[in-house]
Amino acid sequence: MAYGLTRLLRTEDDWSDLLCFLAELDPEPLRSALRLAPGTITVRREARVKARRGAPTGRVDFVVLLDGVERALMEMKLGAGAHGAQFAAYDAWAEAKGIPAADRYLVGPNADPIPDGPSTWSRRPTFETLLGGWNNSSDALARLLAVRAHQQLVALEAEATGPADQASTALSDALRLRRLARLTQTAAPQGTVFNSQQHSQMGAPNICAWREKEDGYVVAEIQRLQPRRGTDSPFENRIMVQTPEATSAANGSLADRHQKWLARNNFVQHAGPHVQALVRDPQDDGFKKKPGAKGHPQYYGYEGGGHGSSVVLQDAADLNDMATAFSALLEYLATYPKP
């Protein structure tokens, strides 16, 4: 069963479906977690909500009903952050239904901050504590599934914090990057701007931070490599420059002017021996050598994103190592020379 759940629980929606199934088997743990009064509990999954004509619409993960009346909302965010105006639609609908903010729940795997999540929604239950409610369920199947699923959640946490080359799922990667963003953003130098969406142009999760300069922007990025198959290094750090126009030609010209500063070995020398021990080929410049690559042929980068060098960490680098290296990279951005 453990292997089967690993195969089934691959995405955020899968975990939400599991929670819905557990609530149907035995609603009492959900009643206890949400502190609901006695009565019949039902759950609507992916419920379409709209407050009134002309108001924004959305699909909330869970609407919890007590005796047929909407009493609570739950939005699950295991790996992703908030997107668009989804919570504006949820709030408008909840207010029209008389559901107070205290009964609107933003549920993550743990207490880590959720990018762009509303501060007014309760973070009291986590996915871990919700699952734990079924550990002593009167329903044998619910009890067994909850225990096994909790084991998978623990495994995801281990993947998210352990060596990056041992991570196996996109969800554990997203959890890693969420934690990494929190660790590095709190200590980033003043003037550092973080991309709140944390997704690349290809849709893969990443972390992107930058500083505005006289001639453009200097960028530090962690990119989850696509595809991951065939590599032991699923994440790549990049030092990049880009112009406000963000074209290949303009970014390539800017990179030409600051080639020495962009080089991996220059960053490693500035960061010191501790970071040097974490980096693959610390004496190399980190530029692409194959002509004809997308964008400027000499640099890592992509249209509209920037051009620069790659800083790949050793295979066994864990979450703390990644935080150390990326924090050093954010510090390095502040040394960008004036034009």
Side-chain angles (χ1 to χ4, degrees), residues 133-190:
W134 278 277
N135 284 347
N136 299 309
S137 172
S138 59
D139 186 278
L141 179 56
R143 187 168 63 248
L144 179 59
L145 285 174
V147 170
R148 295 298 192 188
H150 184 264
Q151 291 173 353
Q152 299 307 315
L153 198 63
V154 171
L156 278 173
E157 179 72 11
E159 284 187 358
T161 57
D165 64 320
Q166 295 181 16
S168 63
T169 68
L171 183 53
S172 65
D173 286 346
L175 293 177
R176 176 186 294 267
L177 292 177
R178 179 188 290 177
R179 183 79 55 85
L180 184 59
R182 176 177 65 82
L183 291 173
T184 55
Q185 189 168 5
T186 55
Q190 186 175 5

Side-chain angles (χ1 to χ4, degrees), residues 163-168 173 223-236 280 300 310 312-315:
D165 64 320
Q166 295 181 16
S168 63
D173 286 346
Q223 177 69 56
R224 179 181 182 266
L225 298 180
Q226 292 282 8
R228 293 185 59 184
R229 184 176 301 173
T231 177
D232 290 330
S233 301
F235 297 97
E236 179 179 79
R280 281 185 176 184
Y300 280 78
S310 168
V312 179
L313 301 188
Q314 301 287 351
D315 294 347

Side-chain angles (χ1 to χ4, degrees), residues 51-52 73 87-101 104 120-121:
R52 59 189 181 280
L73 299 182
F87 284 98
Y90 303 161
D91 280 329
W93 182 84
E95 288 166 10
K97 293 289 185 178
I99 301 174
R104 305 170 204 171
T120 54
W121 283 46

